[in-house]
Amino acid sequence: VACLDTLIGAGYEIAAVVSQPDRPQGRKKLLVPTPVKALALTRGIPVLQPERLRHSDAVDELRRIAPDLIVTAAYGQILPKTVLEIPRFGCINVHASLLPKYRGGAPIQHAVRNGEKKTGVTIMYMAEGMDTGDMISKVEVEIGRDDTSGSMFIKLAQAGAQLLLTTLPKLISGVVNAVPQPHEEATYAPNLKREDERINWTQPSEAIYNLVRSLLPEPGAFTMWSGNVLKVRGCADPSDDREWGVESAVSNPAPAKRTSINQPAPGTVLALSERGIEVVTGDGRLRVTKVQPAGKSAMDAGAFVRGGQMKVGDKLGEG
């Protein structure tokens, strides 16, 4: 949306928008247009929604339109050679990473999950491989300790749109100096699977903290508790959180002891309070500040604790 809106505002003639087909959403499974399609329709721009861009009828339609340039941003499909050969200025991609790092469909989530201090946007010529084309321009964007994938999506969308705006005039005038990627330095960021969202409490607190924020706002990291899925939608920064074990919740009046020789197993609930749920990790403890029980809305962990169902000593991750 940011790239399309910027191109429209800069006066470029948008011949058409190609977007994914409408998908059913919500409990009623109503078909919902993509945000890019919604913007295009408000501006009177034709929209194409082929299930697969490789289909001959979709390629034929693009040939009929005969665009000078094709720009992709988070489209989710690799463009076939038949499409790459259509525009005279080529096909370029606005990719949310500093290539060749994090090639693939989930570069933002992987960068946050891996605790990167910075990421960025790369504009490159598209090739037949996945994010393998020559690089035209780059911009770096910092990742803060409290950033989530959601906040980074916004930052990178804005940075990518501005980079596109400054890159296009040079590209069209033929003064860009595209640089081949050092393929030996490539890393990959594949689309996330369900198991990638599960918290492993044996990992260090820092790794779990990064996992949780990498999956916000959706789909959210999860753990198992009492046989049900419990989504963890917020944690205190383990590098800042020093006040452990503030008074326990009323339902658990005895404070958790941490001087025992036998360290509780990772995933064990150490303390419950208005400040959240203190859980044992592989290298210490982590305070969960926001949760979403199965079938309910997200809530502050303090409100969840007041419900009295979770007890000190409960084990997360089992079941």
Side-chain angles (χ1 to χ4, degrees):
V1 169
C3 287
L4 176 59
D5 197 36
T6 296
L7 291 174
I8 295 171
Y12 289 97
E13 179 186 353
I14 312 299
V17 163
V18 181
S19 186
Q20 296 287 350
D22 297 352
R23 306 293 187 192
Q25 293 185 14
R27 293 182 179 179
K28 295 184 178 180
K29 301 298 181 182
L30 298 176
L31 288 178
V32 177
T34 66
V36 171
K37 175 184 177 180
L39 174 60
L41 293 180
T42 63
R43 303 301 180 91
I45 300 171
V47 177
L48 310 178
Q49 295 180 279
E51 190 68 41
R52 300 295 299 174
L53 198 57
R54 294 180 178 273
H55 293 170
S56 59
D57 53 349
V59 176
D60 289 343
E61 181 64 13
L62 288 178
R63 287 198 181 109
R64 185 193 66 78
I65 294 170
D68 296 307
L69 175 72
I70 289 177
V71 179
T72 67
Y75 178 54
Q77 295 186 33
I78 296 177
L79 273 59
K81 185 177 180 181
T82 51
V83 171
L84 296 177
E85 295 173 340
I86 293 175
R88 64 189 179 109
F89 290 121
C91 302
I92 63 173
N93 181 39
V94 184
H95 183 74
S97 81
L98 298 173
L99 291 171
K101 292 187 69 173
Y102 298 119
R103 294 174 176 175
I108 300 175
Q109 293 94 329
H110 282 273
V112 176
R113 178 173 183 160
N114 291 341
E116 298 282 4
K117 300 294 190 297
K118 67 178 180 180
T119 184
V121 177
T122 304
I123 294 180
M124 63 177 176
Y125 282 113
M126 299 195 72
E128 291 186 77
M130 180 179 290
D131 303 324
T132 58
D134 292 352
M135 302 178 293
I136 302 169
S137 57
K138 285 185 179 183
V139 62
E140 292 186 356
V141 179
E142 291 186 0
I143 303 177
R145 288 288 299 178
D146 58 348
D147 271 317
T148 65
S149 287
S151 65
M152 291 308 301
F153 265 101
I154 296 172
K155 290 182 181 181
L156 290 164
Q158 295 170 345
Q162 290 305 307
L163 184 63
L164 184 63
L165 196 61
T166 59
T167 300
L168 281 187
K170 299 175 185 178
L171 184 150
I172 294 170
S173 62
V175 297
V176 297
N177 182 26
V179 179
Q181 294 187 41
H183 300 297
E184 68 279 4
E185 299 176 12
T187 61
Y188 295 88
N191 290 329
L192 300 176
K193 300 177 182 178
R194 174 65 169 170
E195 196 58 29
D196 296 325
E197 301 161 12
R198 182 190 293 267
I199 296 173
N200 178 358
W201 295 103
T202 66
Q203 289 190 321
S205 299
E206 179 77 5
I208 298 172
Y209 174 69
N210 289 337
L211 171 67
V212 169
R213 62 196 186 104
S214 76
L215 295 170
L216 295 175
E218 295 295 342
F222 75 93
T223 189
M224 300 302 295
W225 171 65
S226 295
N228 294 308
V229 169
L230 178 69
K231 289 200 172 186
V232 176
R233 294 198 168 274
C235 293
D237 186 338
S239 66
D240 292 336
D241 200 30
R242 303 302 181 192
E243 299 179 22
W244 300 109
V246 178
E247 64 184 69
S248 301
V250 174
S251 59
N252 295 275
K257 296 181 180 179
R258 298 179 194 85
T259 57
S260 173
I261 296 176
N262 297 320
Q263 173 72 11
T268 302
V269 175
L270 278 181
L272 298 165
S273 74
E274 289 294 326
R275 299 177 70 244
I277 305 165
E278 189 178 333
V279 186
V280 179
T281 65
D283 67 347
R285 57 184 76 91
L286 184 67
R287 181 163 56 89
V288 174
T289 59
K290 192 171 185 178
V291 297
Q292 183 177 2
K296 296 183 180 180
S297 301
M299 65 181 73
D300 288 338
F304 175 73
V305 165
R306 288 195 296 273
Q309 293 183 325
M310 183 175 284
K311 309 295 183 183
V312 169
D314 280 2
K315 184 75 180 297
L316 304 183
E318 295 182 343

